[in-house]
Amino acid sequence: MSDAERFRDSTQIVLPADVYATVRDALDAEFMLTATEEPSDSVRLIGSPIDIKAASDYLARHGIPVR
């Protein structure tokens, strides 16, 4: 994996739009993330590597797989 891909993976999470809708308020309250809608009915969450790691851990604890 190249350095750009590794950096991108550590600064973003992609969730299905319907899943994001169920956790949006909790994520907004806990983490500094920017959400952008994707054409594939998904939402891309972008943030610092620290916030993305913490948000990934939060989602995993709540049984939500990330891609």
Side-chain angles (χ1 to χ4, degrees), residues 2-27:
S2 71
D3 290 337
E5 288 173 347
R6 187 178 340 208
F7 181 71
R8 184 173 44 250
D9 289 346
S10 70
T11 60
Q12 59 188 354
I13 298 169
V14 177
L15 294 174
D18 58 335
V19 172
Y20 175 67
T22 65
V23 294
R24 176 183 336 160
D25 292 338
L27 291 175

